[in-house]
Amino acid sequence: MSDTIERIKCLIIGSGPAGYTAAIYAARADLKPVMYTGMQMGGQLTTTTEVDNFPGYPNGTDGTAMMEDLKNQAERFGTEVRFGMATKIDFSSEVGGIHKVTIDETIQIEAETLIISTGATAKYLGLESEQRLIGGGVSACATCDGFFYKGQDVVVVGAGDTAAEEATYLSNICNKVTLLVRKDYMRASKAMQHRVAKTNNIEVKYNTEIDEVLGSNVVEGVRAVNNQTGEKEVIDVTGVFIAIGHKPNTDIFKGALDMDETGYLITKGKSTKTNIPGVFAAGDVQDKEYRQAVTAAGTGCMAALDAERYLGSLE
Ligand SMILES: Cc1cc2nc3c(=O)[nH]c(=O)nc-3n(C[C@H](O)[C@H](O)[C@H](O)COP(=O)(O)OP(=O)(O)OC[C@H]3O[C@@H](n4cnc5c(N)ncnc54)[C@H](O)[C@@H]3O)c2cc1C
């Protein structure tokens, strides 16, 4: 552990759209923010080439380039962007208390305010062919990528509400949606199952799993297997949407911050306030509903404003 302890006004952890937007606002409010980027500098959008729905880019943009723009904008106002992972926390529950965060097990930061924007990680099946074709037809976000498969045939994998929602969303854009459900029933709410059942261009295949995603550079189909009979079939599709859930990156906050049963941070009312005074949460880490870059950026702005007002209230 390093001997030096750094005291700062505003610490931001996570460098996705939420973190960088918080940084822009916090820096312009003179909170002199320091950001630790985590292992995935730029966040989830750096794993996609095409971002078509972020306002301000009429011709779309590349995810990595967009995050570089956001970083440059945050740095322009004085945000100090550092590479490192928050590995341990020790929060004060007092109003005006100091929050201690350890970075990479060695660096000690003491922060008057903390903005958590550590995002969420989409779960995948783990097949080699699936991992290879992420960005080439395999996606974990129908709202983000569905448009690219307009009029085409796709499969959705999953059995919960998210899978049912993704399937119905895609059914409005695509020619045909095949929903692959591993068990012989769906976990989605009855209402969502009903929506799926009454949508003509969704076919549900139960007891069915993906054996392999087919294609070398882009998806050309999937080989599916019936886990009861062992029977295999090729389904010709150009898009594969994996909808088996997300894991919020909140392990280090367990026991300190209020979370829901799946680990998403709980914020108060319409604010970004957590149960600890001076600790705020923005982006996908506190949002299992929308999970979009623009909503993450919006709550990043809110977190910086909440932090600035919190500090103001202490004076
Ligand atoms: C393939 C793909 C394509 C997408 N396409 C679109 C799209 O076209 N349009 C759209 O609006 N949305 C899209 N999304 C969704 C969008 O990427 C997310 O909603 C958005 O990135 C969430 O932003 P965030 O800032 O909350 O977190 P994230 O982008 O998830 O960033 C989290 C950050 O936290 C950091 N971190 C995690 N743990 C720690 C830690 N302990 N210490 C320090 N840092 C940490 C990570 O390194 C990362 O920088 C897509 C998602 C994926 C996966």
Side-chain angles (χ1 to χ4, degrees):
M1 182 82 70
S2 143
D3 298 340
T4 49
I5 297 173
E6 191 179 1
R7 172 75 69 97
I8 61 175
K9 263 190 185 168
C10 180
L11 174 65
I12 299 170
I13 52 178
S15 56
Y20 280 133
T21 308
I24 292 165
Y25 277 77
R28 295 186 83 243
D30 209 24
L31 301 189
K32 300 186 172 38
V34 171
M35 170 190 281
Y36 278 95
T37 63
M39 301 305 282
Q40 191 179 45
M41 200 165 180
Q44 293 174 61
L45 278 189
T46 59
T47 64
T48 186
T49 46
E50 282 173 290
V51 181
D52 253 1
N53 55 7
F54 199 85
Y57 292 96
N59 300 315
T61 183
D62 170 86
T64 304
M66 179 180 140
M67 295 316 298
E68 198 57 30
D69 282 347
L70 280 175
K71 175 173 177 280
N72 291 338
Q73 194 174 355
E75 286 181 328
R76 179 177 144 222
F77 299 114
T79 305
E80 208 176 305
V81 179
R82 302 175 186 169
F83 187 76
M85 282 289 279
T87 46
K88 200 169 155 219
I89 51 107
D90 178 9
F91 293 157
S92 163
S93 53
E94 304 290 315
V95 172
I98 294 299
H99 306 299
K100 297 176 185 164
V101 178
T102 307
I103 306 293
D104 294 335
E105 313 281 0
T106 51
I107 300 161
Q108 281 276 33
I109 306 282
E110 292 189 350
E112 290 171 42
T113 60
L114 173 65
I115 296 175
I116 298 168
S117 49
T118 48
T121 307
K123 292 182 193 165
Y124 287 93
L125 302 170
L127 298 168
E128 183 281 325
S129 54
E130 168 209 55
Q131 294 298 302
R132 183 167 42 80
L133 288 164
I134 290 175
V138 174
S139 170
C141 179
T143 321
C144 313
D145 296 330
F147 182 77
F148 301 122
Y149 303 92
K150 198 171 179 177
Q152 300 173 38
D153 292 355
V154 299
V155 293
V156 174
V157 179
D161 277 335
T162 307
E165 262 165 36
E166 303 260 279
T168 43
Y169 178 85
L170 289 164
S171 71
N172 292 320
I173 304 169
C174 300
N175 178 53
K176 183 180 175 190
V177 179
T178 307
L179 179 58
L180 304 183
V181 177
R182 190 157 51 100
K183 298 200 170 147
D184 60 358
Y185 62 90
M186 286 188 74
R187 282 184 295 103
S189 64
K190 286 282 172 266
M192 282 310 301
Q193 289 192 45
H194 184 63
R195 270 181 73 187
V196 167
K198 72 174 198 212
T199 307
N200 286 335
N201 62 341
I202 300 180
E203 181 187 359
V204 185
K205 285 181 183 282
Y206 292 99
N207 293 316
T208 305
E209 298 176 41
I210 291 187
D211 187 41
E212 190 179 345
V213 183
L214 306 172
S216 44
N217 296 318
V218 291
V219 170
E220 290 166 8
V222 295
R223 189 169 59 234
V225 58
N226 182 305
N227 57 29
Q228 298 300 300
T229 62
E231 200 178 312
K232 293 187 180 181
E233 67 171 315
V234 170
I235 308 173
D236 291 328
V237 289
T238 47
V240 177
F241 289 86
I242 310 295
I244 55 174
H246 284 72
K247 184 184 182 307
N249 301 319
T250 54
D251 286 354
I252 60 167
F253 309 115
K254 278 192 180 132
L257 294 181
D258 289 347
M259 303 177 183
D260 72 8
E261 67 291 348
T262 45
Y264 283 89
L265 298 183
I266 295 173
T267 50
K268 291 184 183 167
K270 287 184 179 171
S271 78
T272 61
K273 294 174 189 165
T274 67
N275 54 304
I276 297 283
V279 177
F280 307 92
D284 284 12
V285 73
Q286 52 84 58
D287 171 23
K288 62 177 168 195
E289 197 64 39
Y290 301 105
R291 285 196 299 249
Q292 289 294 289
V294 71
T295 47
T299 51
C301 156
M302 289 163 61
L305 294 178
D306 284 342
E308 195 258 328
R309 285 169 193 167
Y310 166 80
L311 288 172
S313 73
L314 301 176
E315 283 167 6

